C-alpha cells in the first residue's frame, strides 16, 4: 500500500480501527480531539461503537465495562483527562482487564496549556492509579511508529491482560507525516475465557478488584507482580542510533528523540562521537540495553519536555559510572537541535576533565 | 539534504493548507516530509503558521529555529520571521499587504503582490498559491507539476470548482518569482 500523509491523531484512530477496535469511548480535549472526531465518523460507518461520554471518568468506566465482556475497547485523552481517568485505570489493573488508552500529553500541572509536553512520564509509568501496578507504556516518535504500535497494542493488552498506554505529545498528535497503514483485521469472534459473556451453559465468571481478605488480596497482588516481572523481562523495546562507536549518548523518547536525532547527526558532523538511545517502552524501561552501552561511554545527556522525569530511570541504570546531564523544557516549550548540540558540547568539555556533574 | 519552509499568515488565508499541499507534493515526489501546524487558542483573524520539512532521508526535528524559507502572507508574519530566516535564506511575502521594506541584507527577500494578483483570478484567498508558486520558482523543492497534482488530489472537495483558478494562481506566482 502506498504511503499517505496522515495527521498523528487521525492515524492513531485509523490504526486502532484496523487493529480491530470494537468500541471507543472518550471525551474531547486538545491536543487529542481529532482522534475522537475521526472515531465519531469512522466507527459508526463500520457498525462499531463510538460514544462520547459525559466526562473522562465516565469514558474510562465504559471502556472497563466493554472490556469486561472481552471487547477490544479504547479511549484517548490528554493529560488532565488522564488524571480524571485514574480511578478507572486502577480498577482495570486490579481486575486485570485489558484495554488501550492514548495520552497525547500537554503542558501541566493543572489545566496548564495545550502545547506539547512529556510531563506525564511519572504518572503513566509509576502511578497511573492507586495500588501496585504498571501499565505497558509505549512512546512512538513518528506517526508511522504510532500506527505500528497502536496496531500491536490490543494483542499486547489481551495477551498480558494489561492496560496499554500509548504516550504521545501534542506534536505527534498534530503533525502530518507519511504513513503506510497496515491492513484491516477481521474483528475477533471468540471472546477470551475470562470474559463476561452471559453464563448460559457454564458456571458464572466474576471480574472484580475487591478482595476483603488481606491474604487473598496479597495473593492477587503477588500474581500481578509476577506478571509485571515477566513483562519487565520480555517487553522492553528500544531503538539506538549511531551507538556502536559512541563516547557520548543522548537519551530521549517520543518527539524529543527525533529532535535529538537531528542534533546527534549535526554533532557527528562536528566530530563528536555521539549516539542516541530511544526507549520505545517507558514501562518496562529498557534497562538492560542501556546498561550494555554504558561501559563505552564518557557521558550521557538526557533531554525531555518536562522537569526531569525519565532522567531518574537513566540515573538508576548509569549509576555513577559517567556524568548524566539533563536538558529539559517545560510548559509546552520544545527543545531545538541547536541547544541539544550546545549541551552536548558542555558535556564533552566537562567529562574531558573527568568531572561528575 | 533537508529544506525547512514556514508558511505564515492570518487564520483564513490558507497558510496551513498551502503547507499541506506542499507536503502532499513532496510525498508524491518520493521525498520524506513532515508538516506541523502552530496550534493554540487561535481564531479567525489570529495568526497561523505551519512548518514543512522536506528531505531525502527520514526527517528528525519537525520544527526549526531558523527556517530556510518563509512564505509570509501578512505583516505580522514578516515582523515575526524576518529576524528568524536562516542567513542566506528566502523570504517571500505579499507586498500588497506588507508595505514596509525588508531590512535584512543577508537573505533573499522577494516581494510579490500576491493579493493583487490573486484578485485577478477571482479571490484574494488565492494569495497563498501565488506565493507558493514564487517560492517554488526560486527553491524548487518540488516541481510545479507535482504541486499542481497535489492541488488536484487534495484541494478540499468544497473548493473543487476553484481548481483551475488555484492552478493559474500558482503559475502566475511562479512567473513572478522567476522575474
Amino acid at each position: 500500500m502506498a504511503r499517505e500523509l496522515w495527521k498523528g491523531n487521525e492515524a492513531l484512530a485509523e490504526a486502532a480501527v484496523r487493529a480491530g477496535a470494537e468500541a471507543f469511548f472518550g471525551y474531547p480535549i486538545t491536543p487529542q480531539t481529532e482522534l475522537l472526531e475521526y472515531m465519531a465518523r469512522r466507527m459508526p460507518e463500520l457498525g462499531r461503537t463510538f460514544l462520547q461520554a459525559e466526562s473522562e471518568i465516565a469514558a474510562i468506566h465504559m471502556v472497563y465495562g466493554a472490556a469486561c465482556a472481552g471487547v477490544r475497547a479504547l479511549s484517548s485523552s490528554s493529560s488532565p483527562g488522564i488524571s480524571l481517568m485514574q480511578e478507572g485505570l486502577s480498577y482495570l489493573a486490579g481486575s486485570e482487564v485489558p484495554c488501550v488508552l492514548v495520552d497525547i500529553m500537554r503542558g501541566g500541572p493543572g489545566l496548564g496549556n495545550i502545547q506539547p509536553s512529556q510531563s506525564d512520564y511519572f504518572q503513566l509509568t509509576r502511578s497511573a492509579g492507586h495500588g501496585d501496578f504498571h501499565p505497558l507504556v509505549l512512546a512512538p516518535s513518528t506517526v508511522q511508529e504510532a500506527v505500528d504500535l497502536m496496531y500491536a497494542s490490543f494483542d499486547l493488552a489481551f495477551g498480558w491482560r494489561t492496560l496499554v498506554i500509548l504516550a504521545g505529545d501534542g506534536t505527534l498528535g498534530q503533525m502530518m507525516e507519511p504513513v503506510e497503514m497496515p491492513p484491516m483485521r477481521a474483528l475477533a469472534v471468540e471472546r477470551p475465557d475470562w470474559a463476561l459473556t452471559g453464563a448460559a451453559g457454564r458456571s458464572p465468571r466474576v471480574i472484580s478488584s475487591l478482595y476483603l481478605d488481606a491474604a487473598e488480596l496479597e495473593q492477587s497482588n503477588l500474581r500481578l507482580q509476577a506478571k509485571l516481572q515477566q513483562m519487565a523481562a520480555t517487553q522492553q523495546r528500544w531503538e539506538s542510533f549511531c551507538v556502536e562507536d559512541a563516547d557520548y549518548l543522548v537519551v530521549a523518547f517520543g518527539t524529543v528523540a527525533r529532535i535529538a536525532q537531528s542534533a546527534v547527526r549535526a554533532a557527528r558532523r562536528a566530530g563528536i562521537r555521539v549516539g542516541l538511545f530511544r526507549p520505545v517502552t517507558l514501562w518496562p524501561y529498557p534497562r538492560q540495553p542501556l546498561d550494555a552501552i554504558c561501559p563505552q561511554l564518557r557521558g550521557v545527556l538526557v533531554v525531555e519536555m518536562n522537569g526531569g522525569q525519565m532522567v531518574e530511570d537513566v540515573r538508576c541504570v548509569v549509576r555513577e559510572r559517567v556524568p548524566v546531564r539533563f536538558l529539559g523544557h517545560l510548559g509546552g516549550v520544545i527543545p531545538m537541535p541547536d541547544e541539544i548540540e550546545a549541551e552536548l558540547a558542555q558535556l564533552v568539555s566537562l567529562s574531558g576533565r573527568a568531572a561528575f556533574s | 539534504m533537508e529544506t525547512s519552509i514556514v508558511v505564515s499568515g492570518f487564520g483564513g488565508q490558507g497558510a496551513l493548507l498551502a503547507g499541506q499541499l506542499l507536503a502532499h507534493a513532496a510525498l508524491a515526489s518520493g521525498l520524506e516530509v513532515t508538516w506541523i501546524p502552530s496550534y493554540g487558542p487561535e481564531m479567525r483573524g489570529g495568526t497561523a503558521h505551519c512548518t514543512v520539512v522536506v528531505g531525502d532521508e527520514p526527517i528528525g526535528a519537525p520544527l526549526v529555529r531558523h527556517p530556510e524559507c518563509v512564505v509570509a502572507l501578512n505583516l505580522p508574519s514578516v515582523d515575526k520571521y524576518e529576524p528568524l530566516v536562516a542567513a542566506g535564506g528566502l523570504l517571500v511575502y505579499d507586498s500588497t499587504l506588507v508595505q514596509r521594506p525588508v531590512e535584512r541584507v543577508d537573505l533573499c527577500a522577494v516581494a510579490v503582490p500576491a493579493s493583487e494578483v490573486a484578485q485577478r483570478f477571482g479571490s484574494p484567498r488565492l494569495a497563498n498559491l501565488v506565493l507558493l508558486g514564487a517560492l517554488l520558482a526560486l527553491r524548487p523543492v518540488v516541481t510545479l507539476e507535482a504541486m499542481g497534482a497535489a492541488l488536484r488530489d487534495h484541494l478540499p472537495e468544497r473548493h473543487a470548482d476553484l481548481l483551475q483558478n488555484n492552478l493559474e494562481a500558482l503559475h502566475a506566482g511562479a512567473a513572478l518569482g522567476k522575474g
Side-chain angles (χ1 to χ4, degrees), chain A residues 114-116 176 178 258 262 338, chain B residues 32-33 35 39 59-61 65:
Chain A
I114 60 176
Q115 303 302 323
M176 291 178 92
R258 63 185 297 161
S262 293
D338 56 357
Chain B
E32 294 292 337
V33 64
W35 173 93
Y39 71 94
I59 310 298
R65 198 188 301 280

Side-chain angles (χ1 to χ4, degrees), chain B residues 20-46:
Chain B
Q20 273 186 19
L21 291 167
L22 180 60
H24 281 297
L27 174 59
S29 306
L31 296 163
E32 294 292 337
V33 64
T34 56
W35 173 93
I36 184 162
S38 59
Y39 71 94
E42 282 148 358
M43 58 184 122
R44 187 170 290 271

Side-chain angles (χ1 to χ4, degrees), chain A:
Chain A
M1 196 176 160
R3 295 204 305 166
E4 297 172 313
L5 267 193
W6 280 85
K7 190 170 205 179
N9 281 331
E10 296 181 343
L12 275 163
E14 179 61 25
V17 165
R18 291 180 186 223
E22 297 165 272
F24 178 96
F25 307 95
Y27 189 81
I29 180 170
T30 308
Q32 158 282 160
T33 298
E34 295 88 353
L35 201 167
L36 173 128
E37 268 178 348
Y38 187 93
M39 285 302 206
R41 184 174 67 247
R42 186 79 167 122
M43 294 293 266
E45 194 176 279
L46 295 165
R48 305 184 193 177
T49 300
F50 168 86
L51 201 151
Q52 182 174 322
E54 69 271 32
S55 72
E56 288 87 347
I57 302 173
I60 197 64
H61 285 89
M62 291 174 185
V63 167
Y64 184 23
C68 283
V71 165
R72 290 187 163 209
L74 82 152
S75 186
S76 64
S77 192
S78 177
S79 312
I82 302 293
S83 294
L84 281 167
M85 289 183 178
Q86 287 199 307
E87 179 190 357
L89 297 181
S90 180
Y91 280 51
L92 278 149
S95 48
E96 293 183 84
V97 170
C99 80
V100 175
L101 176 67
V102 179
D103 180 8
I104 300 296
M105 292 180 266
R106 60 186 246 180
L111 271 180
N113 62 19
I114 60 176
Q115 303 302 323
S117 167
Q118 297 181 321
S119 55
D120 300 355
Y121 183 91
F122 283 152
Q123 183 183 29
L124 300 181
T125 61
R126 303 293 198 279
S127 60
H130 61 277
D132 283 294
F133 75 97
H134 300 280
L136 180 60
V137 185
L138 303 167
S141 77
T142 65
V143 179
Q144 181 70 61
E145 190 182 25
V147 164
D148 296 341
L149 291 175
M150 173 56 93
Y151 200 61
S153 62
F154 279 108
D155 288 343
L156 287 167
F158 275 69
W160 290 96
R161 289 186 64 175
T162 189
L163 168 62
V164 173
I165 300 182
L166 274 114
D169 65 81
T171 313
L172 185 77
Q174 295 298 318
M175 71 186 290
M176 291 178 92
E177 248 186 319
V179 166
E180 187 173 345
M181 276 289 165
M184 181 75 91
R185 278 200 199 158
L187 293 185
V189 278
E190 277 189 31
R191 299 298 174 195
D193 60 10
W194 48 261
L196 308 184
T197 55
R202 61 163 172 80
S203 52
R205 296 167 183 159
V206 175
I207 291 180
S208 171
S209 62
L210 178 68
Y211 299 85
L212 289 175
D213 180 76
E216 231 186 294
L217 180 54
E218 185 178 48
Q219 282 312 309
S220 159
N221 264 288
L222 289 173
R223 202 179 61 243
L224 186 55
Q225 289 300 312
K227 180 173 81 178
L228 290 170
Q229 271 181 21
Q230 222 186 326
M231 287 169 67
T234 60
Q235 295 304 304
Q236 299 177 17
R237 296 181 188 215
W238 71 95
E239 195 180 83
S240 21
F241 174 71
C242 290
V243 298
E244 292 72 20
D245 64 340
D247 297 328
Y248 299 92
L249 190 69
V250 179
V251 186
F253 69 95
T255 294
V256 179
R258 63 185 297 161
I259 296 170
Q261 188 164 346
S262 293
V264 165
R265 281 199 188 116
R268 281 258 163 193
R269 286 194 292 272
I272 301 176
R273 289 198 301 192
V274 56
L276 173 71
F277 183 80
R278 179 173 72 86
V280 175
T281 47
L282 303 184
W283 198 92
Y285 198 77
R287 286 164 169 253
Q288 280 86 353
L290 178 58
D291 186 63
I293 304 170
C294 284
Q296 76 191 59
L297 297 176
R298 302 177 70 179
V300 175
L301 171 64
V302 178
V303 191
E304 299 180 72
M305 286 196 285
N306 58 42
Q309 299 192 20
M310 180 187 69
V311 67
E312 293 195 2
D313 280 321
V314 174
R315 288 205 167 105
C316 277
V317 175
V318 177
R319 301 188 301 277
E320 298 290 308
R321 283 179 281 185
V322 288
V324 175
R325 280 180 76 84
F326 174 71
L327 169 65
H329 273 304
L330 300 92
V333 178
I334 303 171
M336 287 290 169
D338 56 357
E339 57 184 315
I340 300 176
E341 278 178 72
E343 276 297 319
L344 263 173
Q346 275 290 104
L347 178 68
V348 171
S349 75
L350 280 175
S351 57
R353 280 185 263 122
F356 279 76
S357 62

